[in-house]
Amino acid sequence: MPQTLTLDGRRIHDIPSFYDEINRVFMTGVDWTLGPRLDALDDLLYGGYGALDGDAPVTLVWTHFAASRDALGVETTRQYLLAKLAHPERINTAHFQHALDALGAGNGQTYCDIVLEIIAAHPNITLVPDEPACTGTP
């Protein structure tokens, strides 16, 4: 029987609050928290600490999904990408500029889309949003 974990979309207003909710749900019994980074989220979903036990099956229910989709939508993503581009010494600027340009053209991934892609890459995790998934367009 899969373990069921529930993300509460009412708690998600921006990227930091998304990671606060991830920590609330996934980091039970751990004395440290996950930082606000997509690669850290991906690492967490492999399991082995917190609420995830390796590759054991998990049903991830995401309530109030539309609120999360909006909170992690185009404007939040634009600000995220601009913040990355403000530190060219730390990032692949071409990658982030391309992502920003695609977002501006209406066909880029939002932060929500990227999160869903990361979750989907973990076959032991079944995502059950209470509303349709992100669309990637405004």
Side-chain angles (χ1 to χ4, degrees):
M1 185 84 179
Q3 172 180 335
T4 299
L5 301 173
T6 302
L7 291 174
D8 183 350
R10 294 174 297 188
R11 295 174 174 255
I12 300 170
H13 310 288
D14 53 18
I15 292 171
S17 63
F18 168 72
Y19 286 95
D20 288 344
E21 182 63 358
I22 289 293
N23 282 309
R24 184 187 72 79
V25 171
F26 286 92
M27 298 302 285
T28 56
V30 179
D31 62 356
W32 54 277
T33 58
L34 187 72
R37 295 181 29 193
L38 291 165
D39 58 342
L41 174 64
D42 189 38
D43 290 345
L44 166 73
L45 297 179
Y46 282 105
Y49 53 90
L52 296 180
D53 182 18
D55 61 356
V58 173
T59 299
L60 180 59
V61 176
W62 195 331
T63 64
H64 304 279
F65 186 78
S68 301
R69 181 183 58 233
D70 293 344
L72 302 175
V74 172
E75 188 52 39
T76 296
T77 307
R78 182 182 336 280
Q79 294 307 314
Y80 164 76
L81 294 170
L82 289 170
K84 290 289 189 182
L85 287 166
H87 299 281
E89 69 282 1
R90 299 183 200 164
I91 60 148
N92 175 342
T93 55
H95 167 79
F96 285 96
Q97 186 62 56
H98 175 73
L100 184 61
D101 293 345
L103 190 70
N107 58 6
Q109 285 187 306
T110 65
Y111 201 89
C112 183
D113 293 324
I114 297 166
V115 166
L116 292 179
E117 189 174 88
I118 289 169
I119 294 169
H122 296 271
N124 60 307
I125 300 175
T126 301
L127 178 63
V128 181
D130 68 351
E131 293 143 344
C134 302
T135 63
T137 57

